[in-house]
Amino acid sequence: MLKVKLLFCALFAMMSFTAQADGDEFVVTSGDFNVVRQPGKIGRLEVDFTQAKVGNLSTMEMTDQTFMDYLKENDQKVYKKWNEYQEEAKETFMERWNDAKKKVIKLSEKDTPAYIIKIKAAQLDPGNSGAATWSWNKRGGGIIISGTLEVLDAAGNSLCKMNINRYRGFSTRGLDIKIPTFHRRTVLLHKSLAKDLLEFLLDK
């Protein structure tokens, strides 16, 4: 039995690595993202997954079902509390982003923003709790999204934009072996996305 479990772990880890390493996750399509390198300036974060089409982003087998319809059909608990969970996820993103506030704009819900960062998912893969539980990869079974990230000024003018291509988020907190629920993976997706975006933008 132990050998079987180890084999499954190895397979899930390999599958997760392949999906994560496939192509460029962040591709700038317009403008200059150096605009976010303005310490002291304030930004507001907006995230929208509601109209994303759901499917398997590893195989690109997508459906016409929206994310909210998927939740309504498959997870009533998350569906009913989605606004609450989304706010928690946004707070996690902002907290991780603001760790680097001496290098980039600060994200805030309270202050008047000079910029707006919009993240919109066009496609969403809910991930897999089994893979997240058994994989050695901290992203194994994590949520995958494709979509766009856009920075606008306070007047709503687009300053820069990038494509997000099949980005897989964290699914586990290291040694925490509790089964990763979809709610938890949603929060961890935002945490890892903030981390990886900062690395990408500050390395440019």
Side-chain angles (χ1 to χ4, degrees), residues 99-161:
D99 283 345
K101 63 185 176 184
K102 293 183 179 179
K103 299 179 181 179
V104 292
I105 62 176
K106 177 186 175 182
L107 296 179
S108 173
E109 294 278 290
K110 300 177 182 178
D111 303 308
T112 301
Y115 300 101
I116 300 166
I117 295 180
K118 284 190 174 184
I119 300 173
K120 186 171 184 177
Q123 297 175 316
L124 186 144
D125 183 331
N128 184 283
S129 290
T133 303
W134 291 107
S135 177
W136 291 341
N137 189 320
K138 64 183 177 182
R139 298 179 192 264
I143 296 171
I144 310 173
I145 63 167
S146 288
T148 57
L149 183 150
E150 186 174 18
V151 181
L152 303 94
D153 63 20
N157 300 305
S158 179
L159 302 177
C160 48
K161 193 172 184 178

Side-chain angles (χ1 to χ4, degrees), residues 12 15-16 19 53-59 61-62 67 70-71 74-75 123-133 135 138-146 167-171 179-186 189:
F12 280 130
M15 291 166 61
S16 301
K53 301 300 184 183
V54 176
N56 186 326
L57 275 172
S58 295
T59 62
E61 296 175 4
M62 306 303 297
F67 172 57
Y70 169 85
L71 285 182
N74 295 279
D75 196 328
Q123 297 175 316
L124 186 144
D125 183 331
N128 184 283
S129 290
T133 303
S135 177
K138 64 183 177 182
R139 298 179 192 264
I143 296 171
I144 310 173
I145 63 167
S146 288
Y167 175 83
R168 185 190 294 270
F170 289 160
S171 61
I179 296 176
T181 64
F182 184 78
H183 166 213
R184 180 169 168 235
R185 295 200 306 276
T186 301
L189 167 70

Side-chain angles (χ1 to χ4, degrees), residues 33 35-39 41-45 90-108 117 119 149 151 162 190-202:
F33 272 88
V35 69
V36 303
R37 295 187 182 187
Q38 296 189 72
K41 295 286 187 178
I42 300 296
R44 184 176 76 234
L45 176 67
K90 280 178 59 179
E91 289 174 9
T92 301
F93 183 105
M94 292 191 295
E95 180 180 340
R96 180 62 188 84
W97 177 280
N98 287 339
D99 283 345
K101 63 185 176 184
K102 293 183 179 179
K103 299 179 181 179
V104 292
I105 62 176
K106 177 186 175 182
L107 296 179
S108 173
I117 295 180
I119 300 173
L149 183 150
V151 181
M162 71 167 66
H190 285 66
K191 180 177 182 178
S192 59
L193 183 57
K195 170 184 175 294
D196 292 334
L197 278 170
L198 282 170
E199 290 179 0
F200 174 78
L201 294 173
L202 295 176

